[in-house]
Every structure is written in C-alpha cells, then in structure tokens.
C-alpha cells in the first residue's frame, strides 16, 4: 500500500511520514499568482500579480494586499477565499490585543497567532488545510522592518526577501542576485517590480500589480495607488 492510500486523510501520516493533504495545499499555493516581499533597511515592500483571467472582470474591489494593523499587512498566493478568512481572523486577533494592551500587536506575535490558526487546520477532523501561503510585512515598535512567510502547515520563517506562488523558484533566484543588505525601500520597490516582470505574461501596469509598503519613517502600512505603481514602472523602463 503506497502513499496514495493516505492522500484523502488529513490527520493520518503516510508510511513515509508525510501529510499528503498539506502537500496538496502547497501545490495550490504553487499554482497561485506570484507574490513576493523584500525587507530593506528602512522598510518592507510586498507585491503581487493581480492579473485577471478575463478583461471583463471589474477588478477595483479585488484586493490581494491587505492591511492588518496600522504597521503591518498581508499578501498571499493560493486560494483567495481561504485568504479572506485568515485576514478576518488576524484583524480580530489584532483588535483583541489592542483592546487589552492599548498598543499595536507586534508583527512576530501576529505571525505566530496566524500560524497557530493554520496549524489547527492540519490536526482536526472534518476540515482541510488552508490553501494559501502568506507573506507578512511590518515594522515593530523597535523600528526593525520584518518580513515573514507562513505556510499551510503552520510553519513560519523570517526572510530578507522571498517569493511564493507560480514561478517562485525563478523569482527567488532573481532576488538572490539582486538583493543587498544595505538596500533602501525605493530600491526594494524597483527590485520587486523587476522580479514580478520576469515571469509576467503580458504588459504590467498600475492596475494589474498590487504593492504594499511600510516605511520606517512613519511606521504606517499603505497600498500604493495605481498611479504611483505606474510611475515606478515608467522609471524602470
């Protein structure tokens, strides 16, 4: 009896020590649109491809980069509806923290609580893993820019720069060549857009790319407007 006999069970390990449903969830992530993040010395940028299957889709109300607290935000690759659930839970968790301590929830704690939610869905009957990986960008009270990745298994890692979703291997290789420890936020934004362009089908513009940044100067997470993104793309050209 091979691993296939365990492929429909979430809570049973296969003979080779794998939980196959988690591996399938990672396949869903790998089929999603590319998303990436870069932690610079003075901030963090997260960016993603927001290209739609049809030109008839009204994309103004679709957002892939979401602010969670004033100083942190998420982007994802994978199954969109699963992402909305995690965003809602993370915001509730952040509000509960603020209500109790009267300060913004630190990025590392936000990551841990979100990862705990995702891990619970790998160990319970009658549920399935979340089909998303997250990139979490933020700045804590100490002013240090932070970038984390959270996977469907509930595992999380801190990164200087990384990519998830379709074409993530090539995107990571590109980031490894371009990343520098003394990189500033403006350079990081340009590098993020150049990396997305590597695997982008068609022409990139301010409406099919989404970019979120958090700067050390004000500690606020914000989304760039389509006009601002277009300006960066024009500079890159």
């Amino acid at each position: 009896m091979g691993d296939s006999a365990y492929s429909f069970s979430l809570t049973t390990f296969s003979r080779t020590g794998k939980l196959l449903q988690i591996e399938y969830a990672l396949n869903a992530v790998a089929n999603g649109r590319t998303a990436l993040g870069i932690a610079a010395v003075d901030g963090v940028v997260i960016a993603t491809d927001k290209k739609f299957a049809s030109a008839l889709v009204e994309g103004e109300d679709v957002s892939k980069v979401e602010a969670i607290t004033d100083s942190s935000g998420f982007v994802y690759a994978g199954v969109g509806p699963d992402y909305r659930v995690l965003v809602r839970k993370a915001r509730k968790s952040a509000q509960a923290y603020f209500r109790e301590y009267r300060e913004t929830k630190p990025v590392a704690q936000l990551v841990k609580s979100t990862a705990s939610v995702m891990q619970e869905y790998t160990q319970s009957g009658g549920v399935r893993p979340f089909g998303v990986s997250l990139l979490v960008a933020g700045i804590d009270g100490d002013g240090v820019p932070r970038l984390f990745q959270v996977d469907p298994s509930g595992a999380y890692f801190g990164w200087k720069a990384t990519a998830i979703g379709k074409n993530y291997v090539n995107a990571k290789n590109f980031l490894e060549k371009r990343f520098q420890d003394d990189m500033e936020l403006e350079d990081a934004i340009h590098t993020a857009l150049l990396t997305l362009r590597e695997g982008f089908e068609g022409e990139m513009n301010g409406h099919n790319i989404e970019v979120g940044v958090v700067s050390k100067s004000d500690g606020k997470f914000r989304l760039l407007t389509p006009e601002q993104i277009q300006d960066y793309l024009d500079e890159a050209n």
Side-chain angles (χ1 to χ4, degrees):
M1 188 165 61
D3 278 359
S4 60
Y6 302 92
S7 64
F8 292 105
S9 173
L10 172 60
T11 55
T12 307
F13 284 99
S14 72
R15 292 186 179 191
T16 55
K18 296 176 181 177
L19 289 171
L20 294 176
Q21 285 297 310
I22 293 175
E23 294 200 357
Y24 299 158
L26 286 168
N27 289 343
V29 171
N31 289 330
R33 296 286 184 185
T34 307
L36 58 90
I38 303 172
V41 293
D42 57 344
V44 189
V45 56
I46 49 178
T48 186
D49 166 357
K50 201 179 83 166
K51 192 177 177 186
F52 296 107
S54 169
L56 300 177
V57 175
E58 177 56 71
E60 293 299 319
D61 297 325
V62 179
S63 182
K64 296 183 70 177
V65 178
E66 297 280 3
I68 304 300
T69 68
D70 288 342
S71 59
S72 63
F74 286 2
V75 68
Y76 79 100
V79 182
D82 288 12
Y83 174 62
R84 291 201 300 270
V85 172
L86 290 170
V87 166
R88 189 174 68 247
K89 285 179 180 288
R91 284 174 175 164
K92 285 182 72 174
S93 164
Q95 285 298 310
Y97 186 97
F98 183 81
R99 207 165 52 240
E100 186 163 349
Y101 299 106
R102 290 295 160 190
E103 62 180 38
T104 303
K105 190 170 187 175
V107 181
Q109 291 200 34
L110 189 65
V111 168
K112 285 178 183 177
S113 60
T114 303
S116 293
V117 170
M118 295 174 83
Q119 193 279 331
E120 284 176 21
Y121 279 71
T122 69
Q123 210 174 1
S124 307
V127 298
R128 63 164 175 78
F130 287 95
V132 291
S133 283
L134 304 176
L135 295 181
V136 184
I139 289 183
D140 283 335
D142 59 5
V144 178
R146 300 184 189 279
L147 174 67
F148 291 91
Q149 176 180 337
V150 189
D151 283 338
S153 64
Y156 60 91
F157 317 89
W159 290 88
K160 294 177 181 177
T162 191
I164 55 177
K166 194 178 291 183
N167 205 37
Y168 77 96
V169 174
N170 292 336
K172 272 189 181 180
N173 289 337
F174 188 85
L175 287 170
E176 285 174 7
K177 293 172 186 172
R178 300 290 296 239
F179 181 81
Q180 296 175 332
D181 286 328
D182 60 352
M183 181 179 277
E184 296 185 349
L185 186 57
E186 287 293 303
D187 294 331
I189 294 171
H190 283 116
T191 301
L193 293 175
L194 286 171
T195 307
L196 282 177
R197 178 175 283 167
E198 283 295 295
F200 197 85
E201 297 172 5
E203 185 178 349
M204 278 171 53
N205 59 55
H207 295 282
N208 57 24
I209 295 294
E210 228 174 304
V211 180
V213 296
V214 55
S215 172
K216 201 172 179 177
S217 59
D218 60 4
K220 301 292 185 188
F221 183 86
R222 61 190 172 86
L223 269 69
L224 298 187
T225 64
E227 292 73 27
Q228 288 172 317
I229 295 171
Q230 191 61 53
D231 287 342
Y232 280 110
L233 289 171
D234 291 342
E235 285 177 31
N237 290 331

